[in-house]
Amino acid sequence: MLAVAPLHAAICNLSVQPLDFGNYDFQSSQDLESVGHVIVTCDVSSSFTIALSPGTGTFAARSMQNGAHQLFYNLYTDPTRTMVWGDGSGGSTAVGDSGIEVDRTVYGSVPAGQNPYIGVYNDAITVTLSF
């Protein structure tokens, strides 16, 4: 007789530390950079995928808003800020990983050379965890 253990579905939780770019200096020739974190915690080691929505704008050109005004930025999977973090569409990449507790860094950049209206800018990104 063969004994089979019951199947246990993983229970995973997601927590997010948002990016805070601080103050944008329109006279600076340097991009404004920041990092945030997406942390996945599962009760058993599991494979999963983390996808980010485009927010306002597109994966190629996300934008933070201040009323009708906008400030362009993007989110990346790598510290060199070359791979746009998205859902796998529009030239973006979703992040796959596995484990019990995984902390993935989100790299953000606001390109230099923009001349935004003075004020507070923000955007909302939906983080989707699939496992």
Side-chain angles (χ1 to χ4, degrees):
M1 184 155 124
L2 178 63
V4 178
L7 197 58
H8 174 76
I11 298 171
C12 295
N13 293 303
L14 179 69
S15 62
V16 177
Q17 175 195 17
L19 286 84
D20 183 351
F21 287 106
N23 295 324
Y24 182 81
D25 180 358
F26 73 94
Q27 295 177 331
S28 176
S29 61
Q30 299 293 317
D31 293 349
L32 180 61
E33 297 180 344
S34 182
V35 297
H37 295 270
V38 176
I39 301 164
V40 178
T41 307
C42 299
D43 63 340
V44 296
S45 185
S46 301
S47 295
F48 53 83
T49 302
I50 305 167
L52 303 183
S53 72
T56 305
T58 66
F59 289 122
R62 287 184 166 108
S63 68
M64 293 181 275
Q65 303 294 307
N66 174 353
H69 307 285
Q70 58 187 3
L71 183 61
F72 293 102
Y73 77 104
N74 221 324
L75 303 174
Y76 302 90
T77 63
D78 60 312
T80 57
R81 292 168 171 82
T82 57
M83 302 292 295
V84 173
W85 195 335
D87 63 6
S89 67
S92 72
T93 301
V95 172
D97 212 327
S98 64
I100 293 176
E101 184 168 335
V102 177
D103 181 344
R104 294 301 302 248
T105 302
V106 181
Y107 300 91
S109 181
V110 181
Q114 300 181 64
N115 191 13
Y117 180 81
I118 295 173
V120 176
Y121 288 76
N122 58 52
D123 193 16
I125 300 294
T126 300
V127 180
T128 303
L129 176 64
S130 303
F131 58 98

